[in-house]
Amino acid sequence: MPNANEVSPSVLNREQSPAVSEPLRVAPVADDLARRFQEAGFSLALVGGSVRDALLGRLGNDLDFTTDARPQDVLRILRPWADAVWEVGIAFGTVGAQKDARVGDVDRSWQIEVTTYRSEAYHRTSRKPEVSYGDSIEEDLVRRDFTVNAMAVALPEKVFIDPYGGLDDLAARVLRTPGTPEESFSDDPLRMMRAARFAAQLDFEVAPEVVKAMKDMAGRLGIVSAERVRDELNKLVLSPHPRKGLSLLVETGLAEHVLPELPALRLERDEHHRHKDVYDHTLIVLEQAMALESEGPDLTLRLAALLHDIGKPRTRRFEKDGRVSFHHHEVVGAKMTKKRMTALKYSNDLVKDVSRLVELHLRFHGYGTGEWTDSAVRRYVRDAGPLLDRLHKLTRSDCTTRNKRKALALSRAYDGLEERIAQLQEQEELDAIRPDLDGNQIMEILGVRPGPAVGQAYKHLLELRLENGPMGRDAAAAALKEWWAARQ
């Protein structure tokens, strides 16, 4: 099968379309399942993204099927065959299953979804699609978002079905809709975001008529639930080419309904005041952060890179000397990040982590020329906590200057900081900095009961620990008594 980056009209043509059956050779579960549906009097076809990915040579362990069987019939067929079955999507005609199977010498686990032929549409004021079942695969395919996802392979015969030219569009690397874009986006406005997501995931272009419809109908996205919008945004941000998808959201006006802080970064230039294009800078920072990922796409890091400067429009000031300032934009940006991510229904933990990274992204620059005290290093590590590695990556990514000398100086300064952190970590437990005395010891030394004074004493000892490093029990006790005496 061709590589995703090698697809061209000469590679994928009508004569070669039966090659879609090739990936199924290593997925015997597909034929096995199809025979069971056939014996029960129903049809089954591999469909949508599974066929697209098969043609691109990137079919994984997730298999999507469509059938004329109704959900209860699907359950009846799957339950005795699958290793696990779930009904989370049954209201929308989808039954999920897991099937473990041995392929050659390898044990694999297949994640399967079987969906009844259907059509769905939104009413003007509805946030949820209304689902009705169809009777033919052609009717099912026309309701799908894009032609490259509107192809199927009937099983077990392995007959390729492509009524809307998806194979040609796949070869041309273009996203079109099976019907008119207006009809498709009216049925489900979230498909406008999917256009941007697939462009980012597959590095495809979006057809001009589709882009026009996205611009004209951007406001329709408002009826889609925040959770569905968030999930699409995550897939886009985690894709190989997020800049492409984000730029499309901004260009079409969709970003105004998803992440309005992003287009707001396109600050108007003033001929008398020079400053960076904050929007373009942000996209570069995102790409540079991606380049530093070591264990696959990192949603926390990528969202922090995308949002790190969203406080700049609100804090921009034109100074008398011709400079432009953005004082405290990291603090403002952290609050804006929390508000936006909360509106998009992100988890509390993710909101907290991304907001914290936005708040801390300038901390490195606050320590001047790199002559850091041990105290400053300890506070930097303490404040970053478990986000330290991500903060390293975000801070390094935030340098987009074209001045090579300045960029090299910043890089060396940060190298120095990381070396200092490593040195201190060998001497002290920086990851778990705490006072030399715990709460019980504080109460014992001062002869007090639990109360506010214990917390205040603990905080004082923590400040001493950050400032001086490990003190030892005796020195800490003496410092505690001195502090206590001064309060009396």
Side-chain angles (χ1 to χ4, degrees), residues 130-308:
E130 288 190 358
V131 176
S132 60
Y133 299 128
D135 297 311
S136 72
I137 193 167
E138 288 78 15
E139 182 183 3
D140 180 82
L141 293 178
V142 75
R143 74 162 187 86
R144 293 181 179 265
D145 48 13
F146 303 105
T147 60
V148 296
N149 297 327
M151 299 179 284
V153 179
L155 300 171
E157 304 88 353
K158 298 184 177 65
V159 175
F160 185 60
I161 304 170
D162 180 22
Y164 306 106
L167 188 62
D168 290 337
D169 287 340
L170 189 67
R173 306 177 68 81
V174 65
L175 293 172
R176 301 183 193 279
T177 53
T180 68
E182 291 77 12
E183 290 173 335
S184 181
F185 298 156
S186 180
D187 284 347
D188 185 354
L190 190 66
R191 290 173 176 173
M192 294 184 284
M193 277 197 72
R194 284 196 199 128
R197 188 247 293 184
F198 283 124
Q201 284 183 331
L202 302 172
D203 197 17
F204 278 23
E205 299 303 319
V206 181
E209 68 274 14
V210 176
V211 173
K212 181 180 184 303
M214 292 167 69
K215 291 178 179 178
D216 294 342
M217 302 179 67
R220 284 279 285 157
L221 194 62
I223 71 167
V224 181
S225 69
E227 291 85 352
R228 296 184 75 214
V229 169
R230 174 203 64 209
D231 290 347
E232 278 300 321
L233 180 62
N234 286 349
K235 292 173 184 177
L236 190 162
V237 170
L238 290 171
S239 71
H241 309 280
R243 180 177 189 138
K244 190 166 193 171
L246 292 168
S247 297
L248 186 59
L249 291 182
V250 171
E251 174 193 349
T252 58
L254 284 166
E256 297 287 351
H257 305 276
V258 179
L259 201 64
E261 295 81 3
L262 184 61
L265 294 176
R266 297 182 297 179
L267 301 175
E268 293 180 8
R269 293 296 192 95
D270 186 297
E271 62 183 38
H272 302 296
H273 300 86
R274 298 179 60 190
H275 60 85
K276 290 181 181 177
D277 181 331
V278 183
Y279 171 70
D280 190 58
H281 163 77
T282 294
L283 296 180
I284 294 173
V285 170
L286 172 59
E287 291 177 325
Q288 293 185 164
M290 289 168 57
L292 296 177
E293 292 172 336
S294 55
E295 298 180 3
D298 182 341
L299 182 61
T300 304
L301 176 63
R302 293 192 184 193
L303 286 175
L306 184 61
L307 301 172
H308 78 285

Side-chain angles (χ1 to χ4, degrees), residues 299-301 303-304 307 330-331 333-343 345-361 382-388 390-391 394:
L299 182 61
T300 304
L301 176 63
L303 286 175
L307 301 172
E330 72 281 12
V331 177
K335 293 177 180 177
M336 293 172 64
T337 295
K338 181 178 181 180
K339 183 177 180 180
R340 176 55 53 198
M341 290 186 66
T342 300
K345 309 295 186 182
Y346 279 99
S347 70
N348 291 336
D349 286 344
L350 189 58
V351 172
K352 180 180 177 182
D353 286 349
V354 175
S355 300
R356 187 61 168 158
L357 285 170
V358 172
E359 182 181 2
L360 293 175
H361 82 272
R382 190 274 307 268
D383 291 346
L387 297 171
L388 181 62
R390 289 188 174 107
L391 182 58
L394 178 60

